[in-house]
Amino acid sequence: GVRDVMFLYEDNRCSMTYMYEYPEYLKIKLPKKTARRYPAYELYLYGEGNYAEENKNLLLTGIPVLFLPGNAGSYKQVRSLGSIALRKAEDVDFKYHFNFFSVNFNEELVALYGGSLQRQTKFVHECIKVILKLYRDREFAPSSVAIVGHSMGGLVARALLTLKNFKPELINLLITQATPHVAPVMPLDKYLTDFYTAVNNHWILKAQDLRNLTTLSVAGGFRDYQVRSGLAFLPRLSQHDSALSVVSSAVPRAWASTDHLSIVWCKELILATIRAFFDLIDENTRQITEDPKKRMSVLNHHFVRHPAKMFEENPEAFTDLTGAFMWITVKGSKWTYSVYNDSDGKYFAFPLASHRKSYSHVYCENSMLDTSSWIYGCMNTNSSMCLEAADLSWRAELLPTTKIVMLKLLDYPSLSHIVIQVPPAAGNKYTLGCEFFKEDSRTVQLPVTHLFSFGLSSSRILLNSTGLLYNVQLQHFNQIYQAFKIYIDSHCQSLKERKPSVYRLHIPWSYEDSITVAKVPSLAEISAKLHIAQPHNDSSLPELNIYSSPDCQYEVSKTVLFYSYYPFILVFQIVRFHAGAFPVYIVSNILLTYGGQLSTLRSTGQCSDFSLELVRTAKPYKVEPLISIVVFLQGFNWFRELWESLSLPEVDAAVLSRQDAWFPLVSLILFLFGTGIAYWSGVFFSTSLRLFSSLWLSLIRPTELQKDKLITPRRLCGMVSLALVSWTTCGAFAVLIIYLQYLFKTVHVFVTSVSHFQDSGHSKETSQNSSRHTAKAQSSVDSIPKATQSPSNNKTLAEAVNSLKMHIAILNLFTWIVLLNLPSLIYWLKNLRYNVRLDPDPCRSTAIILVCILEILMNSSTSEVKSSKLLKIAAKVPLPLSVAMLAFGRMHLYRVPHFVTFSFLLHVLCCFV
């Protein structure tokens, strides 16, 4: 699954963007109050060569565009946009030009730590006010700023509208690149999820107030494994007529999937963006147009359907076909024409009256990829020429090797002829073709493998091509868990040179098409996967459009990945859509194991081994059914009202189902993944513990085994010190310190136990048996001989072995708490020069509690616990905690430490009660 997500995608088809002159970044001086409030942030103006020199005095006359970098992003990523915009301005002699500004967010990890998102948003607001002041008193002073946001920078731009004192008219265009709009990729703290909730709720509730803001979201496609494209689609309930979401693979003239970083420098995509910027300019104000309809028209022209013509706001509806061109009438239903060095222009007229009864559609294609008009519809004719014609070239669509037009004849009842214009070709070689057809004759259906068919069905169709176009409808292909390969094998009757075939996988409910260009004959492979599932109110079918060559045979077959073994496909899509939930399932398995060890300790007086207890205790049927029942009952109003009255949060699986990101068996497979990862992480931890212990034994002589007191003045001082560290600096830092201290203590217990056994008076045979046990390396405690449990062993050593097993389970749990808190620690270390105290700190209170609990637990033993009155409760609580963790922690990873901490707290109480 990981291999499919991270490696099995199309090659990088993007060209690199180069600067023709050395890029320069001019730092903009901010007001003292702003600079003092945001010492880590800066604002820059991009420039090159003479343009940069001219702008050093900040006498700006262009159109302001502000670039916002994303997670760990650099302000220098603006250079691709700025450089191409500068070249484009030179082409028009600087009649219009753009000034690109960029914000330096100090490369903060805002995708993992949400505490600084609100601060970034407020700083961007200040930057917009500073930028607009630079244009004050200019002849064409702007009143708004266009924003381009990469990754989390796009979310910060959307968050501007949630600020109380922000004026929405300050921005009228927002373009986001690979921004996760729907939900965070890794919801590691409450500030991050709350920020998302506030932004998305505002955009849904205030949709009517945001109609003057035009928003474009561009996703990277399958090459972007950091932010899956489904997250980059703007929420469906927000604006319908002023927001647009596309995948880069569907963008005309780009047709390429991008990874998370290349989307900011992909030349094809940047060119489309800059062309759109220049087409958005209002000639009267010399700024971006204030007309929302024109802005959407421009974005649709460049990012959705390009007619192979330069953008025109109000193109002429009719035109006269003049010129000394020869008129030729074509009466047949199929026509192809090759042009090479033709000195005379021609008009080919196709009378429609004779075709309307027999055919439903007309399809034409032209391999000359210029921007001139080429196809017209005649309103009336005389015997020799067309008097008045409608320009149908605006109905065309640009593909990689051709431009096409498909018209439904019933939609054009007033047309008498279709006219194809073939201008004189000086040294050019291209082909044209037209055909009339019935839609049913060119549409075939290909059933898609169902979830429970397990790859036992196969589908294959044969197309004997006599035309230029075929549509293969993919039946029942509407869910994200469906993934398969489509193979198109083309064979031709003759070996003459042909234009390449174009295969387009068209998804009608979202702009996520993918296009494959293949030579003829050849075997083409198309990967069919969805970014978002089909909406419930949509009944359209995905299609494979085959723009074919006549007299060729196309064999289309569908093969499920991994030799038609369907469960593997679930693995691919689960990794793609739910990899962020792995920690929840891993910790849930370890928590069940921890509860099983406490239960065994209570019943037998001995603590079981971690790996053996994991196999025995971690069963999905213990946790999954209850969650499924709750999700089912939440479909009833009475249960939902009861649930809300108890102030319980919504079950994450229900939220994912509404987002169409949940599908059958996913939770079960995730749980099994969690079991496997927990097992092997336990093996890795045990192996590491043995290595540390061996190193310790070779360097330091171990002390004798002795029973420590749980609380001493020294330990109380340690608790208070670490609590102060957590309160005054960073909670994750205190958690890391206590973790290392606990690890050190566990290694010490391990070394002391081994040394004590080696010094005890065991027989040679017992020693040999113990050595064989050690070699098995099943767990850390396997290195301690099984013979230690015989009656002749010291009672203290037996207790040490049991305590060691319990400490290993606690450390396994605690390791994941440290990992989940690590992003805030990295953020704090990176910003230490600006502020010693992390504010806000998502784990400060949890860290203080954990410090107190673990300071006691690391010095505890099983002898105090197994006689406790609370042990029965402590052994049973991990099961409901695991259920609650899976119910409420999938989309809120920051809740996981809370459940684990509560379990640890009960363990500590067992030491005293």
Side-chain angles (χ1 to χ4, degrees):
V2 173
R3 177 173 173 265
D4 175 76
V5 171
M6 302 189 70
F7 301 105
L8 296 183
Y9 44 67
E10 67 181 62
D11 294 333
N12 186 10
R13 298 205 295 245
C14 286
S15 305
M16 178 61 77
T17 307
Y18 293 98
M19 284 78 249
Y20 288 90
E21 297 176 278
Y22 192 78
E24 296 184 36
Y25 306 89
L26 177 64
K27 186 176 178 180
I28 306 297
K29 187 176 181 181
L30 300 173
K32 291 183 179 178
K33 184 179 178 181
T34 303
R36 189 166 53 250
R37 186 180 299 170
Y38 309 100
Y41 301 157
E42 297 167 322
L43 177 64
Y44 288 88
L45 172 65
Y46 178 81
E48 295 178 18
N50 293 332
Y51 171 77
E53 288 294 326
E54 293 169 0
N55 286 334
K56 283 188 176 177
N57 55 11
L58 293 179
L59 297 176
L60 305 177
T61 58
I63 303 168
V65 180
L66 179 61
F67 176 79
L68 304 180
N71 178 59
S74 169
Y75 66 95
K76 295 182 179 181
Q77 289 173 314
V78 73
R79 60 184 176 267
S80 295
L81 284 165
S83 181
I84 288 183
L86 182 58
R87 304 281 84 79
K88 180 78 172 175
E90 290 175 349
D91 291 342
V92 296
D93 295 327
F94 280 91
K95 180 181 179 182
Y96 312 114
H97 70 279
F98 289 85
N99 302 128
F100 275 84
F101 297 85
S102 184
V103 173
N104 178 16
F105 285 135
N106 193 32
E107 300 185 8
E108 292 178 338
L109 298 172
V110 287
L112 304 177
Y113 168 74
S116 63
L117 283 168
Q118 195 68 25
R119 186 161 54 245
Q120 287 190 1
T121 305
K122 292 178 179 178
F123 178 73
V124 172
H125 185 199
E126 297 299 322
C127 288
I128 291 174
K129 292 189 283 188
V130 169
I131 289 170
L132 292 177
K133 282 182 181 179
L134 295 175
Y135 295 86
R136 197 164 46 191
D137 302 327
R138 301 290 188 271
E139 182 181 359
F140 298 101
S143 59
S144 62
V145 174
I147 296 181
V148 178
H150 172 240
S151 188
M152 294 298 289
L155 188 71
V156 169
R158 289 180 62 214
L160 285 168
L161 298 156
T162 65
L163 299 177
K164 291 181 180 179
N165 57 345
F166 182 79
K167 299 176 181 178
E169 58 268 20
L170 290 180
I171 53 174
N172 59 11
L173 177 66
L174 170 60
I175 297 177
T176 65
Q177 302 170 326
T179 296
H181 291 293
V182 177
V185 177
M186 293 290 288
L188 290 172
D189 65 61
K190 191 174 187 297
Y191 305 112
L192 188 58
T193 55
D194 287 352
F195 189 82
Y196 265 90
T197 301
V199 172
N200 286 330
N201 285 346
H202 182 88
W203 276 60
I204 292 171
L205 297 174
K206 303 290 184 180
Q208 296 298 324
D209 301 336
L210 302 178
R211 289 187 178 275
N212 288 327
L213 171 62
T214 303
T215 310
L216 169 68
S217 174
V218 183
F222 290 113
R223 280 188 63 84
D224 189 350
Y225 57 82
Q226 295 183 46
V227 176
R228 63 178 177 85
S229 296
L231 293 177
F233 280 71
L234 290 161
R236 292 174 187 167
L237 295 178
S238 65
Q239 307 137 295
H240 292 280
D241 55 351
S242 58
L244 183 64
S245 300
V246 299
V247 180
S248 61
S249 60
V251 174
R253 305 174 79 173
W255 298 299
S257 177
T258 63
D259 60 56
H260 197 62
L261 289 179
S262 70
I263 198 168
V264 300
W265 56 255
C266 178
K267 185 177 180 181
E268 290 77 8
L269 204 55
I270 298 299
L271 282 170
T273 305
I274 297 303
R275 290 185 191 114
F277 270 130
F278 275 86
D279 283 340
L280 286 166
I281 297 174
D282 186 327
E283 292 185 2
N284 297 321
T285 63
R286 298 202 175 184
Q287 297 294 324
I288 289 179
T289 179
E290 296 294 329
D291 183 2
K293 290 184 179 179
K294 180 181 176 181
R295 292 198 296 261
M296 283 303 296
S297 296
V298 171
L299 294 181
N300 274 287
H301 180 93
H302 289 284
F303 288 91
V304 177
R305 185 186 180 96
H306 198 296
K309 287 179 67 67
M310 304 295 288
F311 175 79
E312 293 181 27
E313 185 176 0
N314 296 305
E316 293 184 4
F318 302 101
T319 184
D320 294 329
L321 300 183
T322 59
F325 284 16
M326 182 188 303
W327 282 82
I328 302 173
T329 301
V330 180
K331 295 182 179 180
S333 62
K334 298 175 185 177
W335 169 82
T336 57
Y337 186 74
S338 297
V339 182
Y340 182 62
N341 276 340
D342 280 11
S343 58
D344 299 324
K346 298 179 180 67
Y347 286 124
F348 291 91
F350 300 81
L352 299 181
S354 60
H355 296 303
R356 288 188 183 275
K357 292 183 180 181
S358 304
Y359 305 106
S360 62
H361 289 72
V362 58
Y363 167 83
C364 295
E365 61 183 20
N366 184 354
S367 64
M368 172 63 90
L369 302 182
D370 60 355
T371 57
S372 58
S373 296
W374 61 284
I375 183 169
Y376 304 89
C378 280
M379 311 302 289
N380 52 36
T381 61
N382 59 20
S383 58
S384 60
M385 60 182 294
C386 185
L387 300 178
E388 187 179 30
D391 191 351
L392 298 178
S393 303
W394 293 103
R395 304 284 183 181
E397 183 174 9
L398 182 65
L399 295 176
T401 61
T402 186
K403 49 189 178 183
I404 65 167
V405 173
M406 187 166 70
L407 305 174
K408 187 176 182 180
L409 297 181
L410 287 177
D411 293 340
Y412 300 91
S414 60
L415 295 186
S416 61
H417 287 68
I418 296 291
V419 177
I420 303 293
Q421 180 182 4
V422 180
N428 293 324
K429 184 178 182 180
Y430 61 97
T431 60
L432 301 99
C434 282
E435 65 172 340
F436 293 85
F437 62 90
K438 278 188 175 181
E439 186 177 20
D440 295 343
S441 67
R442 298 301 172 84
T443 303
V444 293
Q445 294 180 334
L446 184 68
V448 170
T449 308
H450 190 264
L451 171 65
F452 297 107
S453 66
F454 292 95
L456 298 178
S457 63
S458 60
S459 304
R460 188 182 301 270
I461 57 175
L462 194 64
L463 305 175
N464 289 311
S465 176
T466 57
L468 302 174
L469 171 68
Y470 278 91
N471 295 320
V472 180
Q473 293 181 341
L474 303 174
Q475 292 179 307
H476 315 300
F477 181 40
N478 51 22
Q479 299 297 329
I480 58 172
Y481 58 77
Q482 295 171 300
F484 50 91
K485 298 283 189 185
I486 297 176
Y487 295 97
I488 304 178
D489 192 5
S490 58
H491 303 281
C492 300
Q493 295 177 3
S494 60
L495 299 177
K496 66 179 182 180
E497 184 181 354
R498 289 179 174 83
K499 64 180 180 63
S501 291
V502 177
Y503 311 127
R504 174 169 64 179
L505 182 62
H506 174 60
I507 310 300
W509 57 81
S510 64
Y511 300 116
E512 56 176 280
D513 294 3
S514 59
I515 291 181
T516 303
V517 180
K519 295 180 179 180
V520 180
S522 67
L523 176 64
E525 178 184 287
I526 300 172
S527 181
K529 303 172 191 174
L530 293 175
H531 294 294
I532 61 173
Q534 185 176 27
H536 298 294
N537 58 353
D538 193 310
S539 59
S540 56
L541 292 176
E543 288 185 341
L544 175 64
N545 305 134
I546 300 177
Y547 302 97
S548 57
S549 297
D551 78 352
C552 289
Q553 186 183 77
Y554 293 83
E555 184 179 356
V556 183
S557 59
K558 173 189 63 62
T559 304
V560 179
L561 300 179
F562 268 90
Y563 306 102
S564 299
Y565 192 58
Y566 203 83
F568 281 104
I569 301 172
L570 284 175
V571 176
F572 300 157
Q573 296 299 79
I574 285 171
V575 172
R576 187 182 308 282
F577 282 84
H578 299 287
F582 279 175
V584 182
Y585 286 89
I586 296 167
V587 175
S588 176
N589 274 274
I590 300 175
L591 193 59
L592 287 172
T593 306
Y594 170 66
Q597 287 181 309
L598 290 175
S599 180
T600 306
L601 181 66
R602 176 176 171 270
S603 60
T604 65
Q606 303 291 326
C607 185
S608 56
D609 180 70
F610 176 83
S611 298
L612 295 176
E613 193 63 41
L614 176 71
V615 173
R616 187 183 73 85
T617 311
K619 304 296 183 184
Y621 58 78
K622 294 182 178 181
V623 293
E624 291 299 331
L626 184 59
I627 298 174
S628 300
I629 291 170
V630 171
V631 172
F632 172 75
L633 290 175
Q634 281 193 333
F636 299 97
N637 290 331
W638 64 268
F639 185 83
R640 197 159 51 245
E641 292 172 1
L642 176 64
W643 191 269
E644 292 172 356
S645 67
L646 297 174
S647 300
L648 292 172
E650 191 172 11
V651 177
D652 288 347
V655 179
L656 289 167
S657 295
R658 283 203 306 274
Q659 296 176 358
D660 296 319
W662 202 245
F663 42 88
L665 302 182
V666 62
S667 191
L668 172 63
I669 295 174
L670 284 171
F671 191 91
L672 297 178
F673 281 173
T675 306
I677 296 172
Y679 181 89
W680 289 107
S681 64
V683 171
F684 175 78
F685 186 84
S686 303
T687 305
S688 302
L689 190 63
R690 276 198 306 279
L691 291 175
F692 282 126
S693 302
S694 300
L695 183 63
W696 184 310
L697 277 171
S698 63
L699 297 176
I700 303 172
R701 181 179 177 82
T703 57
E704 291 293 324
L705 276 172
Q706 56 183 1
K707 189 174 180 179
D708 294 335
K709 292 182 178 180
L710 288 176
I711 300 177
T712 63
R714 182 179 178 183
R715 287 169 189 154
L716 281 174
C717 290
M719 285 185 202
V720 173
S721 300
L722 285 178
L724 284 174
V725 168
S726 177
W727 186 260
T728 57
T729 58
C730 172
F733 183 51
V735 168
L736 180 63
I737 293 174
I738 195 70
Y739 174 75
L740 295 175
Q741 189 177 338
Y742 201 141
L743 187 63
F744 176 84
K745 180 76 175 180
T746 304
V747 172
H748 178 261
V749 172
F750 185 92
V751 171
T752 305
S753 301
V754 173
S755 174
H756 186 80
F757 171 78
Q758 289 174 348
D759 293 340
S760 62
H762 285 290
S763 65
K764 182 178 179 181
E765 181 182 355
T766 304
S767 298
Q768 290 172 348
N769 290 335
S770 67
S771 299
R772 286 196 296 272
H773 280 298
T774 303
K776 290 182 181 179
Q778 293 176 345
S779 69
S780 60
V781 290
D782 284 340
S783 299
I784 299 173
K786 308 294 182 185
T788 57
Q789 297 177 12
S790 66
S792 61
N793 285 330
N794 185 283
K795 184 178 179 181
T796 307
L797 180 60
E799 287 297 334
V801 172
N802 284 325
S803 300
L804 182 61
K805 293 176 181 179
M806 186 60 66
H807 288 317
I808 288 173
I810 293 172
L811 270 175
N812 268 305
L813 275 173
F814 194 27
T815 299
W816 284 98
I817 294 180
V818 173
L819 291 175
L820 290 173
N821 288 325
L822 203 56
S824 60
L825 175 63
I826 296 172
Y827 180 92
W828 173 71
L829 290 171
K830 198 169 184 179
N831 291 272
L832 196 57
R833 55 177 173 163
Y834 302 110
N835 203 335
V836 174
R837 190 172 192 259
L838 179 62
D839 189 33
D841 190 343
C843 59
R844 180 171 289 129
S845 55
T846 307
I848 294 173
I849 297 171
L850 277 172
V851 162
C852 299
I853 290 174
L854 293 169
E855 189 69 51
I856 297 171
L857 276 183
M858 75 173 68
N859 297 290
S860 67
S861 67
T862 53
S863 60
E864 296 134 346
V865 176
K866 63 185 177 182
S867 58
S868 171
K869 297 177 181 179
L870 293 177
L871 182 57
K872 183 177 180 180
I873 298 174
K876 291 185 176 181
V877 161
L879 176 58
L881 286 179
S882 295
V883 175
M885 190 185 299
L886 295 185
F888 305 115
R890 289 186 183 107
M891 299 178 66
H892 306 83
L893 292 178
Y894 60 87
R895 292 174 179 168
V896 172
H898 301 160
F899 296 112
V900 177
T901 301
F902 184 75
S903 189
F904 285 167
L905 179 61
L906 287 177
H907 192 145
V908 168
L909 292 177
C910 288
C911 297
F912 297 99
V913 180

